[in-house]
Amino acid sequence: MSEDKKTKVRFPNVYALLFLLCVFAMLLTWIVPAGTFKRVAVGNISRVIAGSFHYIDGNPQTPWDMFQAIFQGYVKAGATIFMIFFVGAGIHMLEETKSLSTAFTVMARKLRGKEALTIALIFFALGLGNTAGVFGNIGLAIIPIGMYLTRALGGDDFLGFMLIYFAMQSGFAVGFANPNVLGVAQTFAEVPIFSGTGVRAVCAITNIIFLYLITLHYYKTIKKDPTKSLNYEPGVDFNKIVGNVENEDGEHINPDSIKISKRQLLIVGTFLIGVVICVFCTIKFSWKSSKIASFFLFLSILTGMMSGFDMNEIAKKIIKGCGPMVNASFVVGIASAVSLILKNGKILDTIVNWLSMPLGSLGAIAGAGFMVYVNALINILIPSGSGQAAVVMPLMTPIGDIIGITRQVSVQAFQFGDGLTNLITPLNGTLMGGLAMVHVQFPRYFKFAIKVIGTQVIIASIITMYLQYIGWTGL
């Protein structure tokens, strides 16, 4: 067989990868014995009772069960899916008059030579804000805005993803004032809520700086060599992926020749004020995906009216704007199916119990470091921070007590393991949806990110062991 006729082995794309993970989870339900912990209700959270694990009758999942779980994953993620659709509609409506891209291009021209400062201001604002978990699902909603901004700065779409998602996760990963994750974990560990703030604040700021430098390095790399862009494909015009400024015919134009009209300025100003209002309501009134989606639908209609479109045109443009978001929406839905299959098969608790068992045979310092890795693995199965806290903290706390790990260190090991790996787990719907938005396949992203996340986790385990070494209690 000639060389050109050989079939090239290709890594599965994101949909195939997630489907294969669903199949793997289904097969595990036939291999791993079913088990469960006893639980008690603590407010709106179901808390695991330490030492209550026991094996039960299994519930192996069939292919039919698997497909039903996939469907239920889409139902569960319905609000997030429609939020993605309506955000896409709003951004598309805004770009029908080239308002956003023109405004950012003009802004980038005025800030020429200060790109690093521009990225830093946005990155630190999002990172520090999310140390309290204030942004929630709004991060996925504003990734498209980040894309337009980074294009204007001469970057690519993936840089826009880093500017928004990396920034938010940099603070969230070690959020020293996050009631939904840290607060829940400290409650279950029976230590004062938000105690140990000084140490966590230093860790959070250090992590923000680290990921900012990674983002800035990527920006400088693709500016120097566009083939290093994660959006680059052989044979593609560089101007299509880096600094994408085009006229109505799709031809690359000189950014210095672009001017913004008063109408465009009014439209983009109104839209961005709307985004700020949405962020404020997300923080102040704890808006979830359903309310964010509704607000962006309103914003897309308002933008269309300001652009001079009639109702028929607005309706058509909303539908057209939803189209590019189908990929991201489908990814978010199927990503939540894997843990659902494990849960329906009654083996999720068994896996968590198995992962926690080796801790009892380790000493306090080594055990503290190992806790980080255990929580990192569990985060793949339980992406929800508060949900993971409710499962692992009642297990880690008594184990830590037995081998001499302070409860504050146990909380920190949980937080590192849960937060840092949000940037790498394929079962994180927000991560996978964001990658789909910027058209980057997960395998390519994984190759880029694994070195970054691996470094973070190793350093985190060392920090955790040091905190245990000095007997840190956070009081």
Side-chain angles (χ1 to χ4, degrees):
M1 183 180 291
S2 61
E3 187 69 25
D4 59 344
K5 290 184 179 181
K6 291 182 179 179
T7 302
K8 184 179 180 180
V9 178
R10 299 176 60 188
F11 197 93
N13 63 26
V14 62
Y15 305 106
L17 173 63
L18 290 172
F19 182 76
L20 289 174
L21 288 175
C22 287
V23 173
F24 180 67
M26 177 193 69
L27 294 175
L28 283 180
T29 65
W30 290 86
I31 301 170
V32 177
T36 187
F37 293 101
K38 291 182 180 179
R39 287 170 165 81
V40 294
V42 180
N44 296 324
I45 297 175
S46 179
R47 173 182 179 176
V48 163
I49 300 177
S52 66
F53 178 81
H54 58 282
Y55 291 104
I56 58 176
D57 293 337
N59 185 36
Q61 299 291 284
T62 66
W64 175 241
D65 294 326
M66 181 190 70
F67 281 106
Q68 286 184 298
I70 292 174
F71 173 78
Q72 288 301 320
Y74 282 105
V75 172
K76 181 180 178 182
T80 302
I81 289 172
F82 279 99
M83 180 191 74
I84 294 172
F85 279 141
F86 292 150
V87 167
I91 298 296
H92 176 76
M93 193 74 70
L94 190 62
E95 271 307 284
E96 281 293 305
T97 56
K98 296 291 183 182
S99 299
L100 187 62
S101 56
T102 300
F104 280 154
T105 300
V106 172
M107 183 187 77
R109 185 171 67 226
K110 295 182 181 297
L111 294 172
R112 188 169 293 162
K114 301 177 181 178
E115 292 87 353
L117 178 61
T118 302
I119 293 173
L121 290 175
I122 296 172
F123 203 97
F124 278 83
L126 294 176
L128 290 172
N130 224 25
T131 57
V134 299
F135 293 115
N137 290 328
I138 196 68
L140 192 59
I142 61 177
I143 285 176
I145 298 176
M147 291 162 57
Y148 279 103
L149 175 58
T150 53
R151 288 175 189 171
L153 294 174
D156 59 6
D157 287 349
F158 180 69
L159 181 64
F161 170 84
M162 296 181 73
L163 181 62
I164 303 300
Y165 192 70
F166 269 44
M168 289 188 175
Q169 286 299 319
S170 68
F172 181 84
V174 201
F176 52 83
N178 188 336
N180 295 323
V181 180
L182 178 62
V184 172
Q186 289 185 318
T187 297
F188 288 150
E190 299 177 345
V191 297
I193 294 180
F194 299 146
S195 55
T197 296
V199 170
R200 289 190 176 90
V202 171
C203 291
I205 293 171
T206 302
N207 194 50
I208 294 170
I209 293 172
F210 174 73
L211 286 180
Y212 162 70
L213 293 175
I214 294 295
T215 302
L216 185 62
H217 175 73
Y218 177 80
Y219 172 60
K220 291 180 177 180
T221 298
I222 63 173
K223 287 284 287 184
K224 184 177 180 180
D225 182 3
T227 64
K228 302 296 184 181
S229 165
L230 265 67
N231 291 113
Y232 174 73
E233 297 292 344
V236 175
D237 182 1
F238 291 157
N239 292 327
K240 295 291 184 181
I241 56 172
V242 177
N244 187 12
V245 182
E246 301 175 343
N247 61 18
E248 294 181 355
D249 297 323
E251 298 172 341
H252 185 72
I253 56 178
N254 184 0
D256 292 336
S257 66
I258 295 178
K259 296 181 180 180
I260 188 169
S261 67
K262 292 181 179 179
R263 183 170 188 167
Q264 287 176 316
L265 194 59
L266 178 62
I267 292 170
V268 75
T270 301
F271 188 89
L272 293 179
I273 289 173
V275 172
V276 171
I277 292 173
C278 188
V279 171
F280 171 79
C281 291
T282 300
I283 299 170
K284 181 70 175 178
F285 304 111
S286 301
W287 274 14
K288 303 299 181 183
S289 298
S290 58
K291 287 185 172 63
I292 296 173
S294 302
F295 186 85
F296 268 94
L297 177 60
F298 157 75
L299 204 55
S300 63
I301 294 173
L302 177 62
T303 303
M305 294 172 64
M306 293 180 64
S307 300
F309 304 134
D310 61 37
M311 293 308 295
N312 287 340
E313 289 176 310
I314 290 174
K316 290 179 180 178
K317 294 181 188 303
I318 286 176
I319 299 300
K320 186 177 180 180
C322 290
M325 296 297 173
V326 170
N327 286 346
S329 300
F330 268 71
V331 167
V332 170
I334 195 172
S336 63
V338 177
S339 59
L340 189 59
I341 294 169
L342 297 175
K343 183 178 180 180
N344 291 343
K346 300 181 180 180
I347 67 170
L348 186 56
D349 282 1
T350 303
I351 296 173
V352 171
N353 184 58
W354 285 355
L355 288 172
S356 63
M357 287 172 62
L359 287 169
S361 61
L362 297 173
I365 295 177
F370 189 69
M371 268 191 182
V372 175
Y373 297 101
V374 170
N375 280 286
L377 292 173
I378 293 175
N379 189 48
I380 297 175
L381 305 176
I382 311 176
S384 167
S386 58
Q388 184 177 340
V391 172
V392 303
M393 287 314 302
L395 302 178
M396 300 296 175
T397 301
I399 292 175
D401 289 346
I402 292 172
I403 63 177
I405 298 175
T406 72
R407 294 196 170 192
Q408 201 70 254
V409 170
S410 294
V411 170
Q412 191 54 52
F414 154 76
Q415 191 179 31
F416 277 143
D418 166 68
L420 296 176
T421 51
N422 284 329
L423 281 174
I424 204 70
T425 171
L427 304 187
N428 183 340
T430 304
L431 167 66
M432 302 302 281
L435 291 176
M437 282 184 183
V438 298
H439 311 292
V440 173
Q441 291 291 336
F442 180 75
R444 192 169 193 178
Y445 168 77
F446 184 85
K447 184 177 179 180
F448 166 84
I450 187 61
K451 297 177 183 178
V452 176
I453 312 307
T455 301
Q456 287 179 298
V457 172
I458 291 172
I459 293 175
S461 67
I462 294 172
I463 292 173
T464 306
M465 287 190 290
Y466 174 75
L467 292 174
Q468 175 56 38
Y469 174 74
I470 63 174
W472 181 58
T473 61
L475 301 177

